[in-house]
């Protein structure tokens, strides 16, 4: 789909990730909704929004070990998690609707099925109809049915690259709480240097650096994001990882201005 983009809003942006109870970061969601509203006025492009789960998903997923590679899972834990995500989606949608942005929540747990944690089946129709009728489909990282392990966690990052491949969208924006990729975790290492661009030539080297960074959550953190992106066989594949906590940065990213770290892959994944 030409002129389409997918915007991922990280769990670290959309929620207070360290909160003990599910807590939306209303200020960030409002900022992003405003930026999307501004972009919509100037663009006739199509947009899909995917978000992380943050404090609405990760503490529950951990408590019920929903991402464990075995089938002994707590059924109530699964529905508590999917219901918590629906609650988040409803709150996010209300904030976007207040800015007249037609965000259309589509429950990830109802649309995707995985096998061993990777998507094997999905229901495209609601997403396609939403796009065709001028809406912005909104999906999120969620607990889903898994063929081998009963339930698993499906990350927003996997939803993102899966949709990029299936819908032939070559432009992905990742809003997170750091200004892109660094030589080390910038939250832990003040000496970490910013990486301006990741491409076919330096991918292996950057991946090596990220191997040493701590994993923030059950879905793999910054390294998981970049590996997921690289191994998606859509080429050319363009992405940007930028700081979505800063006002207007999402607008800049949507407009294609220089923000954060740029990723450009042209050669097939090695
Ligand atoms: P999100 O929830 O926004 O999708 P993640 O928590 O999955 O984001 O990944 C972003 C986090 O990755 C940052 O908050 C940062 O602390 C961490 N991180 C680890 N290593 C790096 C690195 N080399 N460069 C940038 N961020 C890193």
């Amino acid at each position: 789909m030409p002129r389409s983009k997918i915007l991922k809003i990280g769990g670290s942006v959309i929620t207070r990730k360290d909160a003990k109870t599910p807590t939306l970061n209303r200020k960030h969601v409002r900022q992003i909704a405003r930026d999307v509203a501004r972009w919509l006025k100037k663009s006739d492009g199509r947009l899909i929004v995917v978000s992380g789960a943050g404090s609405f998903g990760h503490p529950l997923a951990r408590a019920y070990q929903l991402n464990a590679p075995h089938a002994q899972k707590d059924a109530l834990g699964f529905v508590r998690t999917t219901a918590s995500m629906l609650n988040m989606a409803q709150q996010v949608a209300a904030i976007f609707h207040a800015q007249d942005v037609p965000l259309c929540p589509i429950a990830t747990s109802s649309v995707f099925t995985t096998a061993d944690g990777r998507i094997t089946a999905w229901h495209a129709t609601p997403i396609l109809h939403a796009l065709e009728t001028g809406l912005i489909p909104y999906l999120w990282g969620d607990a889903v049915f898994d063929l081998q392990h009963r339930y698993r966690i499906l990350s927003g990052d996997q939803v993102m690259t899966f949709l990029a491949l299936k819908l032939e969208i070559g432009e992905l924006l990742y809003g997170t709480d750091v200004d892109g990729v660094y030589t080390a975790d910038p939250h832990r290492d003040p000496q970490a240097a910013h990486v301006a661009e990741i491409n076919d030539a330096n991918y292996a080297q950057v991946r090596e650096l990220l191997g040493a960074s701590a994993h923030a959550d059950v879905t793999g953190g910054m390294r998981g994001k970049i590996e997921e992106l690289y191994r998606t066989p859509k080429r050319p594949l363009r992405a940007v990882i930028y700081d979505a906590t800063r006002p207007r940065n999402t607008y800049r990213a949507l407009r294609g201005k220089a923000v954060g770290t740029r990723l450009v892959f042209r050669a097939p994944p090695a």
Side-chain angles (χ1 to χ4, degrees):
M1 271 184 212
R3 290 184 302 108
S4 301
K5 298 174 200 280
I6 313 181
L7 167 65
K8 159 97 191 292
I9 312 168
S12 56
V13 176
I14 205 164
T15 73
R16 297 191 187 278
K17 207 166 176 173
D18 300 328
K20 288 210 176 67
T21 53
T23 314
L24 202 69
N25 191 321
R26 297 189 162 272
K27 180 181 143 206
H28 289 163
V29 181
R30 232 178 271 128
Q31 266 170 211
I32 293 166
R34 238 178 259 137
D35 281 355
V36 172
R38 206 172 289 147
W39 175 76
L40 281 176
K41 286 195 186 107
K42 295 206 176 177
S43 166
D44 58 354
R46 290 172 170 186
L47 182 66
I48 297 176
V49 172
V50 176
S51 84
S55 53
F56 285 79
H58 291 295
L60 285 164
R62 241 191 311 267
Y64 293 110
Q65 296 192 16
L66 290 175
N67 213 28
H70 57 66
Q72 280 69 54
K73 299 272 167 73
D74 185 326
L76 200 57
F78 172 70
V79 289
R80 281 193 176 125
T81 307
T82 54
S84 177
M85 291 312 303
L86 289 169
N87 175 20
M88 172 175 143
Q90 195 184 10
Q91 293 186 43
V92 171
I95 293 173
F96 274 74
H97 297 167
Q99 302 288 335
D100 293 335
V101 177
L103 197 78
C104 175
I106 295 175
T108 308
S109 58
S110 309
V111 169
F112 292 99
T113 308
T114 58
D116 200 8
R118 304 299 301 177
I119 298 167
T120 49
W122 70 307
H123 186 48
T125 316
I127 299 172
L128 294 175
H129 274 277
L131 285 171
E132 278 157 21
T133 57
L135 303 177
I136 300 178
Y138 169 42
L139 301 114
W140 48 87
D142 209 344
V144 298
F145 292 106
D146 185 276
L147 299 182
Q148 272 88 39
H149 307 142
R150 196 169 295 213
Y151 317 119
R152 282 291 292 255
I153 295 303
L154 172 58
S155 72
D157 291 334
Q158 191 188 150
V159 171
M160 181 98 181
T161 50
F162 181 86
L163 292 178
L165 190 63
K166 294 293 175 184
L167 304 181
E168 295 182 33
I169 299 175
E171 221 182 312
L172 310 184
L173 316 172
Y174 293 83
T176 182
D177 67 342
V178 291
D179 199 29
V181 179
Y182 290 76
T183 50
D185 185 345
H187 283 141
R188 290 159 192 259
D189 182 353
Q191 309 294 323
H194 189 251
V195 178
E197 182 172 307
I198 303 175
N199 49 39
D200 297 324
N202 70 355
Y203 171 74
Q205 192 194 344
V206 173
R207 186 178 171 274
E208 201 72 8
L209 283 173
L210 290 170
S213 329
H215 282 177
D217 57 45
V218 292
T219 56
M222 189 58 84
R223 180 180 175 172
K225 217 177 289 306
I226 289 165
E227 284 179 343
E228 190 70 62
L229 192 67
Y230 179 78
R231 73 173 152 176
T232 303
K234 166 95 184 80
R235 296 293 186 270
L237 191 57
R238 286 189 188 80
V240 60
I241 301 178
Y242 71 98
D243 184 353
T245 67
R246 276 196 235 153
R248 290 190 79 102
N249 239 13
T250 295
Y251 177 72
R252 287 190 201 105
L254 284 165
R255 296 286 293 171
K257 308 269 190 237
V259 281
T261 297
R262 222 161 69 93
L263 297 96
V264 187
F265 298 126
R266 292 178 206 283

